Amino acid sequence: MTTETLLRRAHTGALDYYLLHAQADDAQAAGLLVEEFVLADDLSAIRLRTAGWTPADGGWWSSAAFARAIRTDRQLRARLKAVDRAAAAVTYGRLGGGALPDEEALRGHFHDDVPLSSGAPLRLGTGADVHRILFAGELDDRQLARLSTLLRLGDVPAPTGRQPGVVGTGRLRVNDTNFRWNLRHVGGAWCLDVTSQPAAGDALRWVLRQLTGAARGHGLVPATVDRLS
């Protein structure tokens, strides 16, 4: 698959899907959760949109309070499982919802949004474009090892030169842009600091999307995207 194809896809599958369980240890899901981060022109997140569906509720609902609680309540997060659209569609059909609406129709169920900070970026003075994807959640040793492999983390500096909390660094070149990301664990929170040089548009959007998807698949829940410089 070419980079151009991947970049085009970055504009289509922009929603995040989760299976919602009544209890964390339930084998079968009880519903779905669909989310979307609305990004500004500089690709910082300015709004989080959430909609849920369970047969017991009789339809779709939207709750900013629920979206916030996911990111602060460990027990609630344990009831979620990140999936792709295909898996979400299977569960939706199995629970009696029929065919899962397309993404434009799903966006029509977003009513109670969470506004996110859109202040001026923090200037780090690095000369590069830096975006931080902040996540809620925890990683056990196995999850961390698998995520590190998926993110192709390596080149970890010696302890004396390591930035605080940096677990590892990954790199990728897309077209004429060099990307570097640090997986960082500071103060109980996880984040990915993504540097692009020179500054990129569609390629950066795609890289942010791919990195977020990788972290979601290992138990982390995205909380926001900040532009640091």
Side-chain angles (χ1 to χ4, degrees):
M1 185 180 297
T2 66
T3 299
E4 289 74 15
T5 300
L6 289 169
L7 294 180
R8 286 196 297 270
R9 290 190 175 185
H11 293 283
T12 56
L15 301 185
D16 292 334
Y17 297 87
Y18 299 87
L19 302 185
L20 178 60
H21 296 80
Q23 301 293 331
D25 56 354
D26 285 353
Q28 297 292 333
L32 298 179
L33 190 73
V34 181
E35 294 195 330
E36 179 180 44
F37 285 91
V38 179
L39 303 181
D41 290 342
D42 67 357
L43 300 186
S44 62
I46 57 176
R47 189 169 296 273
L48 170 60
R49 316 187 75 193
T50 301
W53 177 87
T54 56
D57 292 317
W60 290 89
W61 44 268
S62 183
S63 170
F66 189 81
R68 292 190 184 96
I70 290 170
R71 288 150 177 89
T72 58
D73 188 329
R74 183 173 184 171
Q75 292 183 334
L76 180 55
R77 278 196 306 276
R79 294 170 49 198
L80 299 180
K81 179 183 178 182
V83 294
D84 58 18
R85 179 178 167 84
V90 169
T91 297
Y92 188 73
R94 179 180 61 79
L95 294 176
L100 184 66
D102 63 31
E103 295 203 331
E104 193 58 36
L106 288 174
R107 288 185 176 92
H109 298 298
F110 295 143
H111 300 298
D112 189 13
D113 298 348
V114 179
L116 301 173
S117 175
S118 58
L122 174 65
R123 300 294 177 182
L124 299 181
T126 63
D129 202 11
V130 183
H131 287 73
R132 170 170 290 175
I133 313 170
L134 182 65
F135 297 93
E138 303 77 27
L139 293 173
D140 59 29
D141 290 343
R142 175 180 291 186
Q143 290 171 317
L144 178 57
R146 290 178 175 175
L147 180 58
S148 296
T149 298
L150 187 59
L151 294 177
R152 300 190 293 183
L153 299 185
D155 300 327
V156 181
T160 55
R162 184 182 304 171
Q163 299 180 52
V166 172
V167 175
T169 300
R171 290 178 172 83
L172 179 68
R173 183 174 177 85
V174 180
N175 297 336
D176 296 324
T177 302
N178 293 310
F179 292 95
R180 184 181 74 252
W181 51 87
N182 291 328
L183 178 64
R184 189 189 300 266
H185 189 220
V186 178
W190 290 93
C191 65
L192 280 164
D193 288 345
V194 184
T195 302
S196 58
Q197 199 167 22
D202 284 347
L204 175 58
R205 184 186 297 271
W206 175 73
V207 168
L208 293 175
R209 180 70 180 159
Q210 298 305 307
L211 294 175
T212 301
R216 286 182 62 245
H218 289 78
L220 298 179
V221 177
T224 192
V225 182
D226 290 323
R227 183 184 175 202
L228 303 184
S229 67

